């Protein structure tokens, strides 16, 4: 599960006895105008950096206690940033604001934000003493030729860790290859819009239409002649003897044969005319397809060569290129790999990391300005699996089983079905690395039960009512009620924020699809599955809104995305460490399935269950 925690000061959490004066406090502060600001010069930043590495910002020894530093590196795909990493992140945020890189909805309508990252590292000082500093990186690339970089001058390239391979390098193989592809694309477009191509195509269509018309007319003529010969035979037969009729019949047969020969000649002529017209078109189309095929191959070769240039280091000095990891899609431009690459290349020892979103959220995703997020799974997990080899890294905390069978409360049970109250933190079904779940408990408790058992599921972080079938027929009957929506479900949630006073109830319709790069996150996508949620405000207290949520559909993370997305309620559920932020006041996601009503598949009685809200 991903984490997103609010950016709070590291002072109280980390070193309460020492005032955390910003490391970059000497940076001149001037009012920023628009998206550019000259308040920070490269010289100023370099003065604050370690003399041997302009991208390393030292952390003064009086800003931390060695005993409080992490003993092992946090699992990068599920963690809460350590206070020392937050200290570094706070410094970076201050600098981002100072250089006018504040890409939120208030300052920029056209620029989407970026994931920013800091990596706290140990390094050797001038006197070979062990010191602490941090590196900075951002996701994606800053194209030199685009003219749309948000960094003043060369601030970004000399301030942030560089990409593993600079594909925008002037005169580099990628730039040359891209130029060749662009020229081929222009040629393809010229051929596609060539008037001669359209002319030949129109001529072919005209020839086909003409030939079909002539053939259709001759077929009609042939049928009419056949009908006429039949009529002659019927008229002549009563008035002629056998010999005379045979003469007439033979003549009619010869006429029919002549028509068939003419039909055959016409078809042959039509075929030749069409082939000639097709040949003219085929020559042009073949040239176009050959060019597209050449472009496709060149693009594939360019991609393979690019992937091969992305070579990742680890602390053991081992290297691994991107090519074996991702055969069909790119990766490697996220912030985390850049940070580790620079650290290992310089011989630094990673201590702690933090990544946060800075700026406007993409339209389809839920990204909130100034919140922390883990390294993505879809792209970074295979890469970091190599880069973190040899380091002492925490195990995935989500693989830690903190619940027991006694935590699962059975509210109802009969020969056919069971209703349980699932605690938060327990999986509904076994995961990739964790077998313990509601399903495993039920399977052990009812060894003779058949079928899938679980009629529906709840997220690991969600608590509440869960329906279980003891046999296949019962499961099929109950599942049918979910399909026809005759089962009634109600969730209660606590939202982090207040809705408008006139927004007391409504329906959210936002289609959802998996975010394969940031699993298990879901995103709003018109290509996704329809998802609808009805909501009703219950109360608003101290900036928190308690709501009832009625899922019309049952998509993964539906209620969480519909609550957090800007086109939904724009108020994340309290404690949502994927789409919102953790909350020190609560130790959980404040989402609970409190009400369930269904028709018993055997007795046909309407059954109603409630589970007390634990928050």
């Amino acid at each position: 599960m991903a984490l997103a925690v609010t950016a709070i000061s590291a002072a109280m959490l980390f070193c309460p006895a020492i005032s955390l004066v910003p490391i970059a406090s000497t940076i001149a502060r001037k009012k920023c105008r628009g998206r550019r600001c000259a308040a920070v010069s490269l010289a100023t930043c370099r003065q604050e950096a370690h003399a041997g590495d302009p991208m390393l910002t030292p952390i003064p020894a009086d800003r931390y206690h060695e005993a409080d530093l992490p003993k092992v590196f946090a699992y990068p795909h599920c963690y809460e940033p350590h206070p020392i990493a937050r200290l570094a992140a706070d410094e970076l945020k201050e600098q981002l604001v100072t250089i006018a890189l504040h890409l939120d909805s208030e300052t920029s309508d056209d620029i989407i934000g970026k994931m920013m990252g800091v990596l706290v590292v140990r390094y050797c000082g001038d006197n070979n003493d062990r010191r602490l500093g941090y590196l900075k990186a951002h996701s994606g690339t800053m194209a030199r030729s685009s003219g749309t970089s948000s960094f003043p001058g060369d601030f970004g390239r000399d301030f942030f860790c560089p990409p593993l391979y600079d594909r925008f390098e002037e005169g580099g193989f990628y730039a040359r290859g891209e130029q060749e592809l662009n020229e081929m694309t222009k040629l393809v477009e010229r051929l596609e819009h060539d008037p001669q191509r359209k002319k030949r195509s129109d001529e072919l269509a005209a020839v086909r239409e003409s030939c079909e018309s002539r053939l259709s007319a001759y077929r009609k003529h042939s049928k009419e002649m056949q009908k006429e010969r039949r009529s002659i035979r019927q008229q002549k037969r009563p008035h002629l003897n056998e010999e005379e009729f045979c003469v007439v019949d033979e003549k009619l047969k010869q006429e029919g044969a002549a028509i068939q020969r003419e039909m055959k000649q016409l078809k042959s002529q039509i075929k030749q005319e069409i082939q000639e017209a097709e040949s003219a078109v085929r020559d042009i189309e073949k040239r176009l397809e050959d060019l597209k095929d050449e472009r496709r191959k060149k693009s594939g070769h360019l991609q393979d060569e690019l992937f091969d240039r992305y070579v990742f280091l680890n602390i053991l000095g081992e290297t691994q290129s991107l090519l074996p990891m991702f055969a069909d899609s790119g990766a490697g431009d996220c912030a985390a790999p850049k940070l580790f690459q620079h650290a290992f290349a310089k011989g630094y020892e990673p201590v702690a990391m933090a990544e946060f979103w800075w700026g406007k959220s993409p339209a389809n995703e839920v990204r909130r300005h100034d919140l922390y997020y883990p390294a993505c799974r879809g792209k970074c997990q295979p890469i970091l699996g190599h880069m973190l080899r040899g380091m002492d890294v925490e195990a995935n905390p989500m693989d830690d089983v903190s619940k027991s069978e006694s935590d699962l409360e059975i509210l109802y049970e009969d020969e056919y079905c069971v209703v349980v109250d699932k605690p938060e933190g327990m999986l509904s079904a076994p995961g990739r690395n964790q077998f313990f779940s509601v399903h495993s408990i039920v399977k052990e408790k009812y060894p003779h039960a058949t079928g899938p058992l679980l009629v529906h599921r709840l997220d690991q972080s969600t608590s509440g009512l869960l329906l279980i079938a003891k046999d296949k027929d019962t499961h099929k009957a109950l599942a049918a009620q979910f399909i026809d929506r005759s089962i009634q479900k109600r969730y209660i949630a606590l939202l982090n924020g207040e809705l408008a006073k006139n927004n007391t109830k409504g329906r959210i319709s936002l289609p959802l699809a998996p975010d394969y790069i940031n699993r298990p996150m879901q995103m709003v996508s018109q290509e996704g599955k329809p998802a609808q949620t009805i909501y009703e405000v219950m109360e608003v207290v101290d900036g928190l809104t308690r709501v009832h949520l009625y899922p019309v559909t049952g998509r993964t993370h539906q209620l969480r995305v519909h609550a957090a997305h800007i086109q939904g309620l724009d108020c994340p559920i309290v404690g949502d460490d994927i789409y919102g932020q953790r909350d020190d006041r609560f130790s959980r996601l404040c989402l609970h399935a409190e009400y369930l009503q269904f028709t018993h598949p055997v007795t046909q009685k309407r059954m109603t269950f409630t589970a007390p809200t634990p928050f």
Side-chain angles (χ1 to χ4, degrees):
M1 183 179 297
L3 295 178
V5 294
T6 187
I8 62 177
S9 171
M12 298 304 294
L13 292 174
F14 187 57
C15 191
I18 299 175
S19 173
L20 292 178
V21 178
I23 298 169
S25 59
T26 59
I27 294 178
R29 289 170 174 79
K30 296 181 180 180
K31 186 176 180 181
C32 296
R33 294 178 175 86
R35 286 164 44 195
R36 297 285 185 180
C37 178
V40 180
S41 68
L42 289 175
T44 303
C45 293
R46 284 169 178 162
Q47 288 172 5
E48 295 184 347
H50 178 51
D53 183 1
M55 297 175 191
L56 176 67
T57 302
I59 300 177
D62 61 353
R63 297 292 187 263
Y64 62 92
H65 296 310
E66 184 70 28
D68 293 332
L69 297 179
K71 303 300 185 290
V72 297
F73 199 85
Y75 181 71
H77 308 291
C78 181
Y79 72 101
E80 182 174 358
H82 189 277
I84 189 65
R86 294 193 187 196
L87 183 151
D90 286 344
E91 290 297 326
L92 175 56
K93 292 171 187 176
E94 180 180 354
Q95 291 169 324
L96 293 176
V97 171
T98 307
I99 64 173
L101 189 65
H102 195 71
L103 307 178
D104 61 12
S105 56
E106 295 179 359
T107 59
S108 174
D109 294 328
D110 56 345
I111 300 180
I112 300 301
K114 285 184 176 293
M115 194 69 75
M116 299 287 173
V118 294
L119 180 65
V120 178
V121 297
R122 285 190 177 92
Y123 67 98
C124 290
D126 296 334
N127 299 320
N128 289 327
D129 54 329
R130 305 258 292 170
R131 297 184 180 180
L132 216 60
Y134 67 89
L135 303 171
K136 308 154 289 287
H138 61 76
S139 62
T141 58
M142 290 291 181
R144 294 174 180 169
S145 60
S146 66
T148 59
S149 173
S150 302
F151 300 107
D154 288 336
F155 190 95
R157 292 192 295 277
D158 288 355
F159 182 71
F160 291 105
C161 291
L164 275 80
Y165 179 75
D166 186 2
R167 63 174 180 265
F168 296 110
E169 178 187 5
E170 293 182 11
F173 87 93
Y174 187 81
R176 294 194 308 271
E178 197 173 47
Q179 180 62 33
E180 291 175 6
L181 289 174
N182 289 338
E183 293 300 324
M184 294 176 74
T185 298
K186 291 178 182 178
L187 183 55
V188 165
E189 291 175 350
R190 284 201 298 270
L191 288 175
E192 286 178 336
H193 298 92
D194 188 352
Q196 192 68 14
R197 179 177 180 239
K198 185 177 186 307
K199 178 183 177 182
R200 297 299 186 193
S201 180
D202 291 345
E203 287 176 351
L204 174 58
V207 167
R208 283 175 172 165
E209 183 179 358
S210 172
C211 290
E212 181 61 34
S213 177
R214 287 154 54 198
L215 188 59
S216 176
Y218 200 85
R219 282 174 178 156
K220 182 178 179 181
H221 170 69
S222 177
K223 288 183 179 180
E224 291 175 349
M225 295 304 295
Q226 185 182 36
K227 184 178 179 182
E228 183 177 344
R229 291 194 301 274
R230 188 183 302 114
S231 177
I232 292 173
R233 286 188 177 95
Q234 291 174 351
Q235 293 175 6
K236 296 290 185 180
R237 191 159 192 75
H239 306 289
L240 299 175
N241 57 34
E242 190 66 27
E243 184 178 350
E244 291 173 334
F245 182 78
C246 286
V247 173
V248 172
D249 186 55
E250 181 62 27
K251 182 181 179 182
L252 294 175
K253 286 179 179 180
Q254 291 177 2
E255 291 177 358
I259 290 176
Q260 290 300 317
R261 287 192 297 271
E262 291 177 2
M263 173 69 80
K264 187 176 181 180
Q265 291 174 355
L266 178 60
K267 287 183 177 180
S268 177
Q269 181 182 354
I270 285 175
K271 182 179 180 181
Q272 183 176 352
E273 291 177 9
I274 292 178
Q275 285 178 343
E276 290 175 356
E278 285 178 339
S279 177
V281 171
R282 191 182 301 113
D283 290 342
I284 297 177
E285 294 302 321
K286 186 177 186 306
R287 184 183 174 196
L288 182 59
E289 287 305 313
D290 288 346
L291 185 59
K292 287 182 177 180
D293 187 58
E294 183 184 354
R295 182 182 61 175
R296 188 161 43 248
K297 290 178 180 178
K298 185 177 289 291
S299 177
H301 292 154
L302 183 63
Q303 176 179 277
D304 288 347
E305 187 173 357
L306 177 63
F307 284 7
D308 208 38
R309 300 293 180 99
Y310 277 78
V311 179
F312 301 92
L313 289 169
N314 62 27
I315 203 167
L316 302 176
E318 300 169 336
T319 60
Q320 173 69 66
S321 78
L322 189 64
L323 193 56
M325 300 183 194
F326 297 93
D328 301 318
S329 60
D333 288 323
C334 294
K338 296 176 185 176
L339 291 167
F340 286 111
Q341 185 79 357
H342 191 77
F344 296 143
K346 293 291 185 179
Y348 304 150
E349 178 189 348
V351 175
M353 181 175 71
E355 292 183 273
F356 57 91
W357 186 261
W358 194 258
K360 185 178 179 180
S361 174
N364 291 346
E365 302 175 36
V366 178
R367 290 283 186 269
R368 291 190 169 264
H369 177 69
D370 204 19
L371 293 193
Y372 290 104
Y373 292 88
C376 69
R377 292 179 181 270
K379 299 292 187 181
C380 286
Q381 193 166 33
I383 295 172
L384 296 185
H386 161 75
M387 299 191 83
L388 299 185
R389 279 192 62 210
M391 287 178 52
D392 192 3
V393 181
E394 288 181 346
N396 184 352
M398 298 310 298
D399 292 340
D400 180 33
V401 179
S402 59
K403 301 294 180 180
S404 65
E405 183 177 344
S406 61
D407 294 315
L408 187 67
E409 182 181 0
I410 296 178
L411 302 182
Y412 174 82
E413 177 185 0
D414 63 20
E415 184 181 352
Y416 306 99
C417 60
V418 182
V419 177
V420 300
D421 185 1
K422 185 189 86 67
E424 65 86 21
M426 181 182 289
L427 289 171
S428 295
R432 178 177 300 178
N433 301 314
Q434 184 176 331
F435 178 76
F436 182 78
S437 61
V438 174
H439 184 276
S440 66
I441 295 173
V442 173
K443 190 70 175 176
E444 183 176 353
K445 185 175 180 63
Y446 307 108
H448 300 296
T450 61
L453 299 179
L454 298 180
V455 183
H456 62 121
R457 299 185 184 189
L458 297 176
D459 293 342
Q460 183 176 9
S461 301
T462 304
S463 59
L465 299 171
L466 202 57
L467 183 55
I468 298 164
K470 289 186 175 181
D471 59 76
K472 293 181 180 179
D473 291 338
T474 301
H475 185 277
K476 183 178 180 180
L478 291 172
Q481 293 185 44
F482 273 95
I483 293 173
D484 64 23
R485 299 174 183 171
S486 60
I487 282 185
Q488 301 297 317
K489 293 184 296 178
R490 184 178 72 221
Y491 291 73
I492 191 165
L494 201 59
L495 304 183
N496 191 3
E498 297 184 12
L499 301 183
K501 291 184 178 181
N502 60 346
N503 187 11
T504 58
K505 62 176 59 178
R507 179 186 292 259
I508 303 167
S509 296
L510 292 174
L512 301 179
D515 186 345
Y516 293 108
I517 295 179
N518 300 293
R519 293 172 176 166
M521 295 184 76
Q522 305 292 303
M523 62 181 182
V524 174
S525 172
Q526 295 304 316
E527 285 72 43
K529 295 181 179 179
Q532 295 186 1
T533 302
I534 297 172
Y535 65 92
E536 183 179 11
V537 175
M538 306 309 295
E539 63 175 347
V540 179
V541 178
D542 296 331
L544 302 177
T545 303
R546 189 175 294 270
V547 295
H548 278 158
L549 301 174
Y550 304 87
V552 180
T553 53
R555 311 301 178 203
T556 301
H557 290 185
Q558 174 178 315
L559 302 182
R560 299 167 73 169
V561 177
H562 281 183
H565 198 273
I566 190 171
Q567 296 175 10
L569 297 179
D570 197 22
C571 284
I573 297 174
V574 171
D576 191 339
D577 53 7
I578 295 182
Y579 305 101
Q581 58 187 338
R582 287 189 174 186
D583 194 309
D584 294 337
R585 295 169 294 180
F586 301 89
S587 60
R588 55 159 296 164
L589 172 71
C590 292
L591 178 63
H592 178 69
E594 67 165 356
Y595 178 88
L596 179 67
Q597 185 181 82
F598 63 94
T599 300
H600 196 286
V602 177
T603 66
Q604 297 303 308
K605 281 187 175 182
R606 197 69 176 163
M607 312 283 287
T608 302
F609 299 92
T610 58
T613 302
F615 50 83

